[in-house]
Amino acid sequence: MRTKDVIIALDFPSKAETLAFLDRFPAGEKPFVKIGMELFYAEGPDMVREIKARGHKIFLDLKLHDIPNTVKRAMASLSRLDVDLVNLHAAGGSEMMRAALEGLTRPDGTRPLLIAVTQLTSTNAETLKNELLIPVPMEETVLSYAKNAAGSGLDGIVCSPLEAAKVKEVCGEDFLTVTPGIRFADSAAGDQKRIMTPEKAGKSGCDLIVVGRPITQAEDPVAAYRRTVREFIG
Ligand code: C5P
């Protein structure tokens, strides 16, 4: 899977709306999709199994963060769901990340890819300094967390498309960069602040782009998905 791809963020409140959205795609077209907390907590693992059975690759975006043993066991449960990509908070530390990898690895040696969230984009410099009491600049913490993730054997991180090239420089070309914050040149940014077009992301070291509203809220989501793939992959 270490090739470029577009992941659609299925940010819908229910299974009915999610499946209605997926049903708009022709039978042979199976986009890589992301299931986040909203949908997972509402509909549970059966929904994941159902989407997997339809032939989609799945990024299960649950951002685990707990003591190493709990994360290890939770990851074992997620690996049995046969998802393709999962994540955790790098803030949980290297021991937790290594435990997560152990838990994810199936008896046959295979496992879903595992990536880390560094600093949430909702955390600003002020919160970092005054609430988390982290005195170094944001970029330094992001790159340091990325290095911890790489050193723990993880496959990559979630980052802004503006950080992807730097992350590759520090952690290596093979370290996956998964980037939200993607917008067409002619579409609304919404609440995303640090954005990039699919075309520019494709040239900036992004491996997997996560796109929500520009596709899910489009009048013709299938056309918007195809346009994203065309612009990103070329
Ligand atoms: O609709 P939009 O394209 O902004 O959706 C982006 C998706 O990526 C959402 O599911 C959002 O929660 C997720 N995400 C993000 N920024 C992060 C991490 C995740 O936008 N830093």
Side-chain angles (χ1 to χ4, degrees):
M1 196 166 76
R2 284 178 189 276
T3 48
K4 285 164 78 176
D5 208 346
V6 173
I7 303 178
I8 304 178
L10 297 177
D11 294 325
F12 297 105
S14 70
K15 177 174 164 178
E17 281 165 83
T18 307
L19 296 185
F21 170 79
L22 293 177
D23 283 342
R24 298 181 71 153
F25 287 83
E29 194 169 5
K30 301 290 181 188
F32 198 150
V33 295
K34 176 171 91 74
I35 296 176
M37 292 187 204
E38 180 186 9
L39 194 53
F40 189 77
Y41 293 148
E43 301 288 356
D46 280 346
M47 160 110 211
V48 175
R49 291 188 192 98
E50 188 166 342
I51 293 179
K52 190 71 198 171
R54 284 170 168 238
H56 295 273
K57 282 186 185 169
I58 296 178
F59 169 17
L60 194 52
D61 179 17
L62 299 180
K63 301 186 180 72
L64 276 67
H65 187 174
D66 208 318
I67 59 171
N69 187 56
T70 301
V71 169
K72 179 178 169 180
R73 286 163 172 268
M75 286 294 185
S77 299
L78 297 186
S79 80
R80 287 191 286 274
L81 277 180
D82 199 24
V83 293
D84 300 276
L85 178 63
V86 294
N87 61 359
L88 47 63
H89 274 284
S94 297
E95 192 190 338
M96 186 200 78
M97 292 194 266
R98 288 193 302 270
L101 274 179
E102 255 180 64
L104 265 189
T105 306
R106 303 182 184 105
D108 66 0
T110 63
R111 64 166 175 81
L113 290 170
L114 178 62
I115 59 174
V117 174
T118 55
Q119 292 294 350
L120 292 171
T121 42
S122 51
T123 303
N124 61 19
E126 201 190 325
T127 309
L128 195 72
K129 185 162 172 272
N130 299 334
E131 290 188 34
L132 305 183
L133 305 183
I134 296 175
V136 300
M138 181 68 77
E139 195 194 82
E140 213 176 312
T141 74
V142 169
L143 291 175
S144 173
Y145 283 19
K147 276 193 256 180
N148 292 346
S152 304
L154 268 66
D155 302 293
I157 62 162
V158 182
C159 63
S160 149
L162 301 156
E163 292 158 356
K166 185 78 190 170
V167 169
K168 294 260 184 200
E169 205 182 298
V170 171
C171 299
E173 250 329 286
D174 288 343
F175 197 61
L176 279 180
T177 53
V178 180
T179 60
I182 302 295
R183 289 294 179 269
F184 295 125
D186 54 6
S187 74
D191 55 358
Q192 294 282 13
K193 293 192 172 62
R194 305 175 69 218
I195 55 176
M196 200 179 262
T197 63
E199 190 182 0
K200 183 115 194 286
K203 294 176 181 145
S204 302
C206 303
D207 295 306
L208 297 165
I209 55 172
V210 178
V211 187
R213 288 160 290 180
I215 294 175
T216 56
Q217 306 301 313
E219 220 162 277
D220 184 345
V222 177
Y225 169 70
R226 289 175 184 159
R227 175 182 174 191
T228 311
V229 172
R230 206 166 49 239
E231 287 190 16
F232 180 56
I233 299 171

